[in-house]
Each structure stands twice: as structure tokens, then as C-alpha cells.
Amino acid sequence: MGTRCFIAMWCLLLALGASAHTEIALPSLGDGSSSLFSQSQEHTLGRAWLSAFRSQVKTIDDPLMQVYIEQLIYKLASHSELQDRRLEVVIVDNPTMNAFAVPGGVIGVHNGLFLFADTEAQLASVLGHELAHLSQRHFVRGLEARQRASIPTMAGLLASIVLAATAGGDAGIAAMTATQAAALQNQLRYSRQNEQEADRIGMDTLVAAGYDPNAAPAMFDNMQQALRYAGQRPPEFLLTHPLTENRIADTRNRARQYPQKIYTDTLDYQLLRARAELQLTPRSDEAVKRFRSQVQSSDNRRPEASRYGLALAYTRGGRYAEASEALAPLLANEPNRLEYVIARADIEIGLGELDTARQRLQRALAINPSNHPLTMAYANALLKSHMPQQAEALLQEHVKRRPTDPAVWYLLAEVHGLAGNIVGVHQARAEYFVLNGVLDRAIQQLGYALPLVKHDRISEARIQERIRQIQQLKIDLKQL
């Protein structure tokens, strides 16, 4: 696909993304080492892709999970060959086993991946593998083959892949024509050489970060087992990362070459795994039944995580007394663990004990200043307590630390509204829309704010400058 064709397709897809169109429309991306795009352009395109992606798929707004995955990826990246470590993480609400890396530093993880990875090391092996694909620029190595594809084929193919990875299986397959299905097999699957290289470099990264190299073949075993139960359709991850017996054997042999050590899993991961399990269980009573069974099992290897999941399930179902009873021994054992502190505060809010919840979260923030999950939990507690001005002050500082987090801007817009700051509402909504790729609506929101500040020259100038920046962003994207 030539540069002009790419520009035309991107303009078309940007227009579709800004409308209420029901089809998935995402731009394809080149690689920074390509003659088509510089590294700076690749970064810009990656963020543009992420904005369009967010606007069209269901993502997870879970600060605890978001920070956990961010920290894990940054830990791996610091031991990887990746040069540009400006990374952005998006969590997709989907039960399938999938993770992906988009050129420009975008890492996507399905929360369903937690259900297939038994340990943090196994999850890290998948993420390290994705970072290896990024660092070795495997995407651009197959770009020449894709250049021969027509715009409709590539646009439809990318849209179908995203649909399959987010809407779940059958809808994605139904959206593909025979030509697109063939293109999926021949163009978007990583080559055997790419996979071998990513396996090798990913394992080096895994070990350098302090994880068990045997986690990689163990994760492959889990994938293979999932493949057996999948029927005709393989798990999402294996659509682009083919799994073979030779590959599993090579990975297992490579793991044996590292020095033997004793590794332990982290409770952090098991608690987040319980959160993912709860997220993917639609009915609260079903979740209660599942976690209660785990707690009562004599061979349960993660009793704290099961009890934590049970407390969360009770809370989601409004059964606060039972939630409190389930959480009590965990909180007594580790009173400062953030997962337990936030869970207890949620129970207290449900019971109407708002002062107690606020004080608990405020104390925790004093120990962990600027912590993202605690800040969001405290802001919500302030809102429940009808204290929007305090929540507004808190989030205005927090958004400076996480300016690319749509969830923070979304909550800040709500807080501004309750605090009576209508100009702030429009400004926060505008930033939320920018991060979701809907630039016209972002400009519209700022246009609503302008008449409200006509007697404040400084504010008026700032809003006009932000409108100009967003308009320039639209032009820049069309010129890439």
C-alpha cells in the first residue's frame, strides 16, 4: 500500500470513526524503520490507532488492573531491546486469550488472558513476546506483501480482525470474505522466523526481568490445551501467533539452558486474576457460587485470591455484610494492601458509612501519594459524599499525572458538572473525545465553552489555542 493510498484510507477511516457508524474502522500502521514512516510518525499513528480502537471496542476501566499491567510491561520493557519505550496500555473486556502490540508502542491485553495464565510469569511471557515483536519490527518485515493488497481488502481485513478479537469469534469470521480470510492467513500471521525470534528474545527479556523461563513453555501448554477445546476456531492469540509442536519443544529446550532457580508467584497477580474472573462472570450470584466453591476447596492453591473474589462478588451483588465477613481475615492479615483497602471502602460506601470510607482512603493516599487506584477510589467516595469540589481539586491534579487516561478525563467531566464548573465539563469532555479519536466532537465541546469565557481573555485564548491544536492534529493525521 503506497503512502497516498494509506493517507486516503486513513482519512476515510478517521471519518468513519467520528461518526456513529457500526462497522469497526481502524487505520493500518507502518513501522518506523520503513521508508514510509519515521519513528515519530509511527508513534503518532500508534496513538491515532489507539484512539480509534477505544472508540469502537469495550475496554476495561479498572485502575488496579490498569496500573498492574502498566507496571509489568514497563518492568519487561526495561529489560528488553525496545528502544522507544513510550508505551500505552489498553485492556479489552473480552474472555478470549489475546494480547497484541501495535507499532508505535501500543500494547493491548484481553482480561480473558488472565484466565489462561496461571502465574504472573506466564502472563509476562506473553507480554515479553509481544515486546520482542515490537523491538524487532516484525510488522514492517511483512509490509511489502501488504502493499500489494487493495484498500478495501486491507481496511476490511483489519476491521474484521478487530471485530473477531473484541466482539468474539463468530461475528468476526462472518465479517470476512474468502479473500480476507486468505489475507489473514498469509499476511497478518507472523512468519515462523518471526515467531522463533520473538520466542528467543522474549525469553531473554523474561529471564532478565527475574521470571522463570519455564513459564513460556508452560503458557504454550495452556494455549495448546485451549486449542484442543476450541473446536474449529483457534483462540484469538493463535490467529496471528501460530502454535506448533516444534515451537513448543524449541521453547522448552531453550528454557533448560538457563540456570535453575526457585521462583514463586505473586499474590498481586492472583488477586488481579480474581478481578478478571469476576469481570467476565456476568451474574453476581454465579460469581458468588464460583468463588465460594473455591474457598471451600481443600486443594485451593490461591485461598486469598478466592476469598478476595468472593468479597468482590458479594459487594457487586449488594450483599455488604457477607462481603465484609469474607474480606475481614484478609484485611486483618494485610491492612495496608491496596486491593483490600479499596474493597473495604467500597463495602463501607455500600453500607452508607461514607465518612469511614473517605478516611480509610485518605489515610492510604497519605502512605501512597498520587497512587492511581486510590485516587480514583477516593474521588468516587467524595462524589458519593456530595463533595464534588474536593473531588474536582483532587482530579485536576491527578489528570496532570495521567493526561492520556480517558477514564480520568471522563470522571473529571462528571465532577466538574456536579461542582457547577460548566466550562470545565466541556474542556474535560473535549480531552476525552480526543483520546477516543472523535476530534470533531472535541472541537464542538470547546466551541460550547468559548461563549462562557468571553469576559476572561486568558481562558478564551487557552480554549482557542486548544481548538487550533486539535484542528492541526486533524491536518497532521491526513498528511501522514
Side-chain angles (χ1 to χ4, degrees), residues 419-476:
N421 183 355
I422 306 305
V423 173
V425 171
H426 294 309
Q427 289 177 310
R429 284 179 178 173
E431 298 307 320
Y432 173 80
F433 284 132
V434 168
L435 291 172
N436 281 281
V438 194
L439 301 185
D440 288 337
R441 293 192 66 181
I443 294 171
Q444 184 183 55
Q445 286 294 320
L446 293 175
Y448 294 152
L450 271 178
L452 303 178
V453 296
K454 60 183 178 181
H455 300 301
D456 183 345
R457 292 186 178 180
I458 295 178
S459 296
E460 184 178 25
R462 287 175 177 169
I463 293 174
Q464 288 176 336
E465 173 61 17
R466 186 56 178 146
I467 291 174
R468 187 198 66 76
Q469 290 172 353
I470 298 172
Q471 289 172 334
Q472 185 62 48
L473 178 60
K474 290 181 63 177
I475 295 172
D476 291 344

Tab-separated table of all heavy atoms in Angstrom, residues 419-476:
chain	number	residue	atom	x	y	z
A	419	ALA	N	-19.846	20.065	40.379
A	419	ALA	CA	-19.282	21.221	41.083
A	419	ALA	C	-19.740	22.545	40.467
A	419	ALA	O	-19.392	23.621	40.960
A	419	ALA	CB	-17.757	21.139	41.059
A	420	GLY	N	-20.517	22.470	39.378
A	420	GLY	CA	-21.017	23.676	38.732
A	420	GLY	C	-20.029	24.333	37.798
A	420	GLY	O	-20.242	25.474	37.356
A	421	ASN	N	-18.971	23.657	37.441
A	421	ASN	CA	-17.945	24.194	36.549
A	421	ASN	C	-18.251	23.736	35.122
A	421	ASN	O	-17.702	22.743	34.636
A	421	ASN	CB	-16.563	23.710	37.000
A	421	ASN	CG	-15.432	24.282	36.154
A	421	ASN	OD1	-15.654	24.970	35.163
A	421	ASN	ND2	-14.204	23.989	36.550
A	422	ILE	N	-19.123	24.466	34.444
A	422	ILE	CA	-19.592	24.047	33.120
A	422	ILE	C	-18.494	24.159	32.077
A	422	ILE	O	-18.389	23.306	31.177
A	422	ILE	CB	-20.822	24.884	32.699
A	422	ILE	CG1	-21.914	24.811	33.782
A	422	ILE	CG2	-21.368	24.368	31.367
A	422	ILE	CD1	-22.318	23.390	34.140
A	423	VAL	N	-17.663	25.180	32.193
A	423	VAL	CA	-16.534	25.292	31.260
A	423	VAL	C	-15.623	24.081	31.407
A	423	VAL	O	-15.163	23.489	30.415
A	423	VAL	CB	-15.748	26.593	31.525
A	423	VAL	CG1	-14.482	26.629	30.664
A	423	VAL	CG2	-16.610	27.806	31.233
A	424	GLY	N	-15.363	23.685	32.656
A	424	GLY	CA	-14.538	22.512	32.908
A	424	GLY	C	-15.141	21.251	32.327
A	424	GLY	O	-14.412	20.369	31.850
A	425	VAL	N	-16.472	21.141	32.373
A	425	VAL	CA	-17.158	19.981	31.785
A	425	VAL	C	-16.808	19.862	30.310
A	425	VAL	O	-16.401	18.790	29.824
A	425	VAL	CB	-18.689	20.092	31.957
A	425	VAL	CG1	-19.378	18.990	31.147
A	425	VAL	CG2	-19.080	19.983	33.418
A	426	HIS	N	-16.950	20.958	29.582
A	426	HIS	CA	-16.698	20.931	28.142
A	426	HIS	C	-15.225	20.651	27.842
A	426	HIS	O	-14.902	19.912	26.896
A	426	HIS	CB	-17.127	22.254	27.505
A	426	HIS	CG	-18.602	22.504	27.562
A	426	HIS	ND1	-19.522	21.570	27.140
A	426	HIS	CD2	-19.322	23.578	27.985
A	426	HIS	CE1	-20.758	22.058	27.307
A	426	HIS	NE2	-20.654	23.277	27.818
A	427	GLN	N	-14.331	21.229	28.631
A	427	GLN	CA	-12.906	21.005	28.396
A	427	GLN	C	-12.512	19.549	28.661
A	427	GLN	O	-11.766	18.950	27.891
A	427	GLN	CB	-12.083	21.952	29.279
A	427	GLN	CG	-12.160	23.403	28.839
A	427	GLN	CD	-11.388	24.319	29.767
A	427	GLN	OE1	-11.547	24.269	30.996
A	427	GLN	NE2	-10.556	25.174	29.204
A	428	ALA	N	-13.015	18.980	29.752
A	428	ALA	CA	-12.697	17.587	30.074
A	428	ALA	C	-13.302	16.647	29.039
A	428	ALA	O	-12.669	15.663	28.632
A	428	ALA	CB	-13.198	17.240	31.470
A	429	ARG	N	-14.535	16.933	28.610
A	429	ARG	CA	-15.148	16.097	27.578
A	429	ARG	C	-14.338	16.165	26.286
A	429	ARG	O	-14.187	15.164	25.574
A	429	ARG	CB	-16.588	16.547	27.324
A	429	ARG	CG	-17.574	16.118	28.406
A	429	ARG	CD	-18.963	16.631	28.094
A	429	ARG	NE	-19.940	16.198	29.095
A	429	ARG	CZ	-21.200	16.617	29.142
A	429	ARG	NH1	-21.631	17.484	28.231
A	429	ARG	NH2	-22.024	16.182	30.079
A	430	ALA	N	-13.829	17.350	25.959
A	430	ALA	CA	-13.041	17.507	24.744
A	430	ALA	C	-11.807	16.618	24.791
A	430	ALA	O	-11.476	15.933	23.804
A	430	ALA	CB	-12.633	18.971	24.565
A	431	GLU	N	-11.111	16.595	25.922
A	431	GLU	CA	-9.918	15.758	26.035
A	431	GLU	C	-10.283	14.275	25.972
A	431	GLU	O	-9.546	13.470	25.396
A	431	GLU	CB	-9.174	16.063	27.335
A	431	GLU	CG	-8.671	17.501	27.440
A	431	GLU	CD	-7.834	17.928	26.243
A	431	GLU	OE1	-7.025	17.099	25.757
A	431	GLU	OE2	-7.989	19.083	25.790
A	432	TYR	N	-11.419	13.922	26.546
A	432	TYR	CA	-11.893	12.540	26.472
A	432	TYR	C	-12.150	12.154	25.023
A	432	TYR	O	-11.748	11.063	24.576
A	432	TYR	CB	-13.166	12.381	27.305
A	432	TYR	CG	-13.828	11.037	27.177
A	432	TYR	CD1	-13.357	9.937	27.893
A	432	TYR	CD2	-14.914	10.852	26.329
A	432	TYR	CE1	-13.955	8.693	27.782
A	432	TYR	CE2	-15.522	9.614	26.204
A	432	TYR	CZ	-15.045	8.536	26.930
A	432	TYR	OH	-15.632	7.305	26.803
A	433	PHE	N	-12.778	13.031	24.262
A	433	PHE	CA	-13.066	12.728	22.859
A	433	PHE	C	-11.782	12.661	22.027
A	433	PHE	O	-11.676	11.843	21.105
A	433	PHE	CB	-14.021	13.768	22.273
A	433	PHE	CG	-15.451	13.603	22.710
A	433	PHE	CD1	-16.186	14.681	23.181
A	433	PHE	CD2	-16.070	12.367	22.651
A	433	PHE	CE1	-17.510	14.522	23.587
A	433	PHE	CE2	-17.389	12.195	23.054
A	433	PHE	CZ	-18.107	13.283	23.517
A	434	VAL	N	-10.804	13.506	22.319
A	434	VAL	CA	-9.526	13.440	21.605
A	434	VAL	C	-8.899	12.059	21.790
A	434	VAL	O	-8.432	11.436	20.831
A	434	VAL	CB	-8.569	14.540	22.101
A	434	VAL	CG1	-7.147	14.283	21.584
A	434	VAL	CG2	-9.032	15.911	21.640
A	435	LEU	N	-8.907	11.572	23.035
A	435	LEU	CA	-8.301	10.272	23.315
A	435	LEU	C	-9.096	9.125	22.717
A	435	LEU	O	-8.574	8.010	22.588
A	435	LEU	CB	-8.172	10.075	24.832
A	435	LEU	CG	-7.153	10.986	25.511
A	435	LEU	CD1	-7.236	10.855	27.019
A	435	LEU	CD2	-5.742	10.670	25.032
A	436	ASN	N	-10.337	9.386	22.338
A	436	ASN	CA	-11.161	8.365	21.707
A	436	ASN	C	-11.324	8.603	20.213
A	436	ASN	O	-12.197	8.004	19.580
A	436	ASN	CB	-12.525	8.285	22.383
A	436	ASN	CG	-12.472	7.512	23.683
A	436	ASN	OD1	-12.450	6.281	23.694
A	436	ASN	ND2	-12.417	8.231	24.794
A	437	GLY	N	-10.502	9.489	19.659
A	437	GLY	CA	-10.456	9.655	18.212
A	437	GLY	C	-11.626	10.371	17.588
A	437	GLY	O	-11.818	10.312	16.384
A	438	VAL	N	-12.414	11.082	18.394
A	438	VAL	CA	-13.580	11.791	17.851
A	438	VAL	C	-13.268	13.288	17.905
A	438	VAL	O	-13.761	14.030	18.755
A	438	VAL	CB	-14.857	11.455	18.646
A	438	VAL	CG1	-16.099	11.918	17.886
A	438	VAL	CG2	-14.942	9.954	18.908
A	439	LEU	N	-12.436	13.727	16.988
A	439	LEU	CA	-11.884	15.079	17.047
A	439	LEU	C	-12.933	16.154	16.793
A	439	LEU	O	-12.873	17.236	17.394
A	439	LEU	CB	-10.733	15.219	16.051
A	439	LEU	CG	-9.561	14.250	16.251
A	439	LEU	CD1	-8.430	14.577	15.276
A	439	LEU	CD2	-9.056	14.274	17.681
A	440	ASP	N	-13.888	15.884	15.918
A	440	ASP	CA	-14.926	16.886	15.641
A	440	ASP	C	-15.756	17.176	16.893
A	440	ASP	O	-16.099	18.331	17.163
A	440	ASP	CB	-15.833	16.410	14.506
A	440	ASP	CG	-15.133	16.463	13.145
A	440	ASP	OD1	-14.177	17.243	13.018
A	440	ASP	OD2	-15.540	15.718	12.242
A	441	ARG	N	-16.075	16.132	17.649
A	441	ARG	CA	-16.850	16.345	18.875
A	441	ARG	C	-16.013	17.047	19.935
A	441	ARG	O	-16.541	17.795	20.757
A	441	ARG	CB	-17.388	15.015	19.404
A	441	ARG	CG	-18.433	14.376	18.492
A	441	ARG	CD	-19.143	13.229	19.157
A	441	ARG	NE	-19.958	13.648	20.277
A	441	ARG	CZ	-20.668	12.826	21.040
A	441	ARG	NH1	-20.656	11.519	20.779
A	441	ARG	NH2	-21.378	13.274	22.047
A	442	ALA	N	-14.710	16.817	19.928
A	442	ALA	CA	-13.834	17.532	20.852
A	442	ALA	C	-13.860	19.025	20.554
A	442	ALA	O	-13.988	19.862	21.463
A	442	ALA	CB	-12.412	16.992	20.746
A	443	ILE	N	-13.741	19.367	19.266
A	443	ILE	CA	-13.799	20.783	18.863
A	443	ILE	C	-15.162	21.367	19.204
A	443	ILE	O	-15.272	22.519	19.660
A	443	ILE	CB	-13.491	20.910	17.361
A	443	ILE	CG1	-12.038	20.500	17.086
A	443	ILE	CG2	-13.757	22.328	16.871
A	443	ILE	CD1	-11.693	20.394	15.617
A	444	GLN	N	-16.220	20.590	19.001
A	444	GLN	CA	-17.574	21.050	19.324
A	444	GLN	C	-17.702	21.391	20.807
A	444	GLN	O	-18.288	22.412	21.174
A	444	GLN	CB	-18.580	19.964	18.932
A	444	GLN	CG	-20.033	20.342	19.131
A	444	GLN	CD	-20.964	19.188	18.780
A	444	GLN	OE1	-20.831	18.088	19.301
A	444	GLN	NE2	-21.891	19.442	17.861
A	445	GLN	N	-17.162	20.519	21.678
A	445	GLN	CA	-17.234	20.780	23.113
A	445	GLN	C	-16.522	22.078	23.486
A	445	GLN	O	-17.025	22.870	24.294
A	445	GLN	CB	-16.624	19.613	23.879
A	445	GLN	CG	-17.490	18.360	23.921
A	445	GLN	CD	-18.775	18.564	24.703
A	445	GLN	OE1	-18.783	19.223	25.747
A	445	GLN	NE2	-19.865	18.010	24.204
A	446	LEU	N	-15.362	22.297	22.912
A	446	LEU	CA	-14.636	23.535	23.209
A	446	LEU	C	-15.366	24.749	22.638
A	446	LEU	O	-15.302	25.850	23.213
A	446	LEU	CB	-13.219	23.449	22.654
A	446	LEU	CG	-12.327	22.406	23.338
A	446	LEU	CD1	-10.976	22.320	22.634
A	446	LEU	CD2	-12.142	22.727	24.811
A	447	GLY	N	-16.062	24.537	21.521
A	447	GLY	CA	-16.881	25.618	20.975
A	447	GLY	C	-17.997	26.008	21.928
A	447	GLY	O	-18.353	27.193	22.041
A	448	TYR	N	-18.576	25.033	22.635
A	448	TYR	CA	-19.588	25.335	23.637
A	448	TYR	C	-19.013	26.146	24.796
A	448	TYR	O	-19.720	26.946	25.431
A	448	TYR	CB	-20.175	24.036	24.218
A	448	TYR	CG	-20.955	23.198	23.239
A	448	TYR	CD1	-21.050	21.817	23.385
A	448	TYR	CD2	-21.629	23.787	22.159
A	448	TYR	CE1	-21.774	21.039	22.500
A	448	TYR	CE2	-22.347	23.019	21.259
A	448	TYR	CZ	-22.417	21.640	21.441
A	448	TYR	OH	-23.133	20.870	20.560
A	449	ALA	N	-17.733	25.916	25.095
A	449	ALA	CA	-17.112	26.593	26.238
A	449	ALA	C	-16.757	28.047	25.939
A	449	ALA	O	-16.744	28.882	26.857
A	449	ALA	CB	-15.858	25.828	26.660
A	450	LEU	N	-16.474	28.355	24.677
A	450	LEU	CA	-15.991	29.698	24.339
A	450	LEU	C	-16.925	30.833	24.776
A	450	LEU	O	-16.465	31.806	25.398
A	450	LEU	CB	-15.716	29.789	22.834
A	450	LEU	CG	-14.310	29.405	22.379
A	450	LEU	CD1	-14.199	29.491	20.867
A	450	LEU	CD2	-13.266	30.309	23.042
A	451	PRO	N	-18.235	30.763	24.494
A	451	PRO	CA	-19.103	31.877	24.919
A	451	PRO	C	-19.147	32.056	26.441
A	451	PRO	O	-19.441	33.156	26.918
A	451	PRO	CB	-20.485	31.463	24.388
A	451	PRO	CG	-20.214	30.465	23.326
A	451	PRO	CD	-18.993	29.744	23.756
A	452	LEU	N	-18.839	31.002	27.175
A	452	LEU	CA	-18.921	31.069	28.635
A	452	LEU	C	-17.717	31.781	29.253
A	452	LEU	O	-17.737	32.098	30.450
A	452	LEU	CB	-19.036	29.649	29.211
A	452	LEU	CG	-20.213	28.810	28.701
A	452	LEU	CD1	-20.180	27.411	29.311
A	452	LEU	CD2	-21.539	29.499	29.023
A	453	VAL	N	-16.658	31.994	28.449
A	453	VAL	CA	-15.458	32.656	28.980
A	453	VAL	C	-15.140	33.936	28.205
A	453	VAL	O	-13.996	34.403	28.214
A	453	VAL	CB	-14.237	31.700	28.927
A	453	VAL	CG1	-14.464	30.502	29.816
A	453	VAL	CG2	-13.940	31.260	27.492
A	454	LYS	N	-16.150	34.509	27.551
A	454	LYS	CA	-15.886	35.667	26.691
A	454	LYS	C	-15.381	36.882	27.452
A	454	LYS	O	-14.796	37.794	26.855
A	454	LYS	CB	-17.144	36.021	25.897
A	454	LYS	CG	-18.362	36.376	26.753
A	454	LYS	CD	-19.560	36.633	25.860
A	454	LYS	CE	-20.813	36.951	26.700
A	454	LYS	NZ	-21.995	37.188	25.832
A	455	HIS	N	-15.587	36.912	28.777
A	455	HIS	CA	-15.078	38.028	29.579
A	455	HIS	C	-13.758	37.677	30.265
A	455	HIS	O	-13.260	38.457	31.074
A	455	HIS	CB	-16.121	38.441	30.620
A	455	HIS	CG	-17.426	38.889	30.028
A	455	HIS	ND1	-17.508	39.954	29.144
A	455	HIS	CD2	-18.690	38.410	30.162
A	455	HIS	CE1	-18.769	40.116	28.765
A	455	HIS	NE2	-19.510	39.186	29.370
A	456	ASP	N	-13.237	36.497	29.972
A	456	ASP	CA	-11.963	36.052	30.554
A	456	ASP	C	-10.999	35.802	29.398
A	456	ASP	O	-10.999	34.739	28.788
A	456	ASP	CB	-12.179	34.776	31.380
A	456	ASP	CG	-10.925	34.299	32.075
A	456	ASP	OD1	-9.820	34.769	31.721
A	456	ASP	OD2	-11.018	33.420	32.955
A	457	ARG	N	-10.185	36.807	29.098
A	457	ARG	CA	-9.345	36.744	27.912
A	457	ARG	C	-8.333	35.599	27.974
A	457	ARG	O	-8.024	34.970	26.962
A	457	ARG	CB	-8.613	38.073	27.715
A	457	ARG	CG	-9.535	39.223	27.340
A	457	ARG	CD	-8.734	40.475	27.025
A	457	ARG	NE	-9.608	41.563	26.613
A	457	ARG	CZ	-9.170	42.792	26.265
A	457	ARG	NH1	-7.857	43.048	26.296
A	457	ARG	NH2	-10.014	43.725	25.898
A	458	ILE	N	-7.804	35.338	29.163
A	458	ILE	CA	-6.803	34.276	29.289
A	458	ILE	C	-7.425	32.917	29.002
A	458	ILE	O	-6.900	32.122	28.223
A	458	ILE	CB	-6.158	34.305	30.692
A	458	ILE	CG1	-5.371	35.599	30.878
A	458	ILE	CG2	-5.253	33.089	30.886
A	458	ILE	CD1	-4.745	35.749	32.245
A	459	SER	N	-8.589	32.637	29.613
A	459	SER	CA	-9.269	31.365	29.386
A	459	SER	C	-9.715	31.239	27.941
A	459	SER	O	-9.613	30.167	27.328
A	459	SER	CB	-10.475	31.237	30.325
A	459	SER	OG	-10.069	31.209	31.674
A	460	GLU	N	-10.209	32.349	27.375
A	460	GLU	CA	-10.642	32.334	25.982
A	460	GLU	C	-9.473	32.003	25.058
A	460	GLU	O	-9.603	31.188	24.132
A	460	GLU	CB	-11.246	33.691	25.614
A	460	GLU	CG	-11.816	33.749	24.203
A	460	GLU	CD	-12.442	35.094	23.900
A	460	GLU	OE1	-12.036	36.096	24.536
A	460	GLU	OE2	-13.321	35.161	23.025
A	461	ALA	N	-8.318	32.593	25.331
A	461	ALA	CA	-7.142	32.342	24.494
A	461	ALA	C	-6.686	30.892	24.616
A	461	ALA	O	-6.289	30.272	23.621
A	461	ALA	CB	-6.012	33.287	24.895
A	462	ARG	N	-6.758	30.332	25.811
A	462	ARG	CA	-6.348	28.937	26.012
A	462	ARG	C	-7.261	27.978	25.262
A	462	ARG	O	-6.788	27.020	24.638
A	462	ARG	CB	-6.354	28.613	27.511
A	462	ARG	CG	-5.211	29.245	28.281
A	462	ARG	CD	-5.352	28.979	29.765
A	462	ARG	NE	-4.224	29.528	30.526
A	462	ARG	CZ	-4.186	29.627	31.842
A	462	ARG	NH1	-5.225	29.204	32.574
A	462	ARG	NH2	-3.121	30.139	32.454
A	463	ILE	N	-8.551	28.237	25.314
A	463	ILE	CA	-9.503	27.364	24.623
A	463	ILE	C	-9.325	27.476	23.113
A	463	ILE	O	-9.339	26.469	22.386
A	463	ILE	CB	-10.944	27.698	25.037
A	463	ILE	CG1	-11.150	27.331	26.513
A	463	ILE	CG2	-11.954	26.959	24.162
A	463	ILE	CD1	-12.499	27.760	27.068
A	464	GLN	N	-9.143	28.713	22.629
A	464	GLN	CA	-8.930	28.891	21.194
A	464	GLN	C	-7.644	28.194	20.738
A	464	GLN	O	-7.598	27.598	19.649
A	464	GLN	CB	-8.874	30.382	20.860
A	464	GLN	CG	-10.234	31.078	20.944
A	464	GLN	CD	-10.133	32.579	20.713
A	464	GLN	OE1	-9.076	33.181	20.915
A	464	GLN	NE2	-11.234	33.184	20.294
A	465	GLU	N	-6.619	28.224	21.578
A	465	GLU	CA	-5.373	27.554	21.234
A	465	GLU	C	-5.553	26.046	21.205
A	465	GLU	O	-5.010	25.366	20.330
A	465	GLU	CB	-4.291	27.927	22.247
A	465	GLU	CG	-2.984	27.159	22.106
A	465	GLU	CD	-2.296	27.363	20.771
A	465	GLU	OE1	-2.632	28.335	20.053
A	465	GLU	OE2	-1.412	26.544	20.427
A	466	ARG	N	-6.343	25.525	22.139
A	466	ARG	CA	-6.580	24.080	22.143
A	466	ARG	C	-7.388	23.670	20.920
A	466	ARG	O	-7.121	22.613	20.320
A	466	ARG	CB	-7.312	23.668	23.429
A	466	ARG	CG	-7.469	22.164	23.599
A	466	ARG	CD	-6.150	21.451	23.541
A	466	ARG	NE	-6.263	20.007	23.747
A	466	ARG	CZ	-5.491	19.120	23.149
A	466	ARG	NH1	-4.533	19.512	22.310
A	466	ARG	NH2	-5.646	17.829	23.391
A	467	ILE	N	-8.359	24.476	20.507
A	467	ILE	CA	-9.107	24.194	19.279
A	467	ILE	C	-8.161	24.174	18.092
A	467	ILE	O	-8.226	23.286	17.230
A	467	ILE	CB	-10.225	25.247	19.079
A	467	ILE	CG1	-11.314	25.084	20.138
A	467	ILE	CG2	-10.824	25.121	17.669
A	467	ILE	CD1	-12.381	26.169	20.087
A	468	ARG	N	-7.243	25.149	18.051
A	468	ARG	CA	-6.280	25.200	16.948
A	468	ARG	C	-5.404	23.952	16.944
A	468	ARG	O	-5.122	23.387	15.882
A	468	ARG	CB	-5.409	26.454	17.090
A	468	ARG	CG	-4.486	26.683	15.890
A	468	ARG	CD	-3.365	27.642	16.234
A	468	ARG	NE	-2.456	27.067	17.227
A	468	ARG	CZ	-1.541	26.146	16.950
A	468	ARG	NH1	-1.414	25.670	15.716
A	468	ARG	NH2	-0.762	25.683	17.905
A	469	GLN	N	-4.980	23.491	18.125
A	469	GLN	CA	-4.141	22.294	18.208
A	469	GLN	C	-4.867	21.061	17.698
A	469	GLN	O	-4.287	20.236	16.985
A	469	GLN	CB	-3.693	22.076	19.658
A	469	GLN	CG	-2.701	23.106	20.168
A	469	GLN	CD	-2.445	22.959	21.657
A	469	GLN	OE1	-3.104	22.176	22.354
A	469	GLN	NE2	-1.494	23.727	22.176
A	470	ILE	N	-6.137	20.935	18.053
A	470	ILE	CA	-6.905	19.768	17.609
A	470	ILE	C	-7.157	19.836	16.107
A	470	ILE	O	-7.085	18.824	15.396
A	470	ILE	CB	-8.231	19.659	18.385
A	470	ILE	CG1	-7.949	19.469	19.882
A	470	ILE	CG2	-9.070	18.490	17.876
A	470	ILE	CD1	-9.188	19.551	20.756
A	471	GLN	N	-7.446	21.020	15.603
A	471	GLN	CA	-7.611	21.180	14.161
A	471	GLN	C	-6.317	20.839	13.431
A	471	GLN	O	-6.338	20.203	12.364
A	471	GLN	CB	-8.049	22.612	13.841
A	471	GLN	CG	-9.474	22.923	14.269
A	471	GLN	CD	-9.826	24.393	14.114
A	471	GLN	OE1	-8.938	25.264	14.146
A	471	GLN	NE2	-11.109	24.690	13.980
A	472	GLN	N	-5.175	21.242	13.989
A	472	GLN	CA	-3.889	20.920	13.387
A	472	GLN	C	-3.632	19.424	13.440
A	472	GLN	O	-3.053	18.844	12.516
A	472	GLN	CB	-2.764	21.674	14.108
A	472	GLN	CG	-1.391	21.487	13.475
A	472	GLN	CD	-1.333	22.010	12.049
A	472	GLN	OE1	-1.775	23.126	11.762
A	472	GLN	NE2	-0.785	21.196	11.139
A	473	LEU	N	-4.084	18.787	14.544
A	473	LEU	CA	-3.938	17.338	14.658
A	473	LEU	C	-4.680	16.624	13.540
A	473	LEU	O	-4.172	15.660	12.954
A	473	LEU	CB	-4.460	16.871	16.020
A	473	LEU	CG	-4.438	15.366	16.294
A	473	LEU	CD1	-3.022	14.827	16.214
A	473	LEU	CD2	-5.042	15.060	17.666
A	474	LYS	N	-5.870	17.110	13.206
A	474	LYS	CA	-6.626	16.534	12.099
A	474	LYS	C	-5.858	16.665	10.791
A	474	LYS	O	-5.780	15.723	9.988
A	474	LYS	CB	-7.991	17.218	11.970
A	474	LYS	CG	-8.975	16.913	13.085
A	474	LYS	CD	-10.307	17.607	12.858
A	474	LYS	CE	-10.991	17.127	11.603
A	474	LYS	NZ	-12.316	17.745	11.406
A	475	ILE	N	-5.258	17.837	10.579
A	475	ILE	CA	-4.486	18.062	9.349
A	475	ILE	C	-3.259	17.167	9.308
A	475	ILE	O	-2.941	16.543	8.292
A	475	ILE	CB	-4.076	19.546	9.256
A	475	ILE	CG1	-5.322	20.427	9.106
A	475	ILE	CG2	-3.114	19.766	8.093
A	475	ILE	CD1	-5.028	21.920	9.196
A	476	ASP	N	-2.562	17.075	10.451
A	476	ASP	CA	-1.346	16.258	10.522
A	476	ASP	C	-1.644	14.797	10.222
A	476	ASP	O	-0.875	14.130	9.528
A	476	ASP	CB	-0.694	16.389	11.892
A	476	ASP	CG	-0.112	17.763	12.130
A	476	ASP	OD1	0.064	18.528	11.155
A	476	ASP	OD2	0.155	18.107	13.309
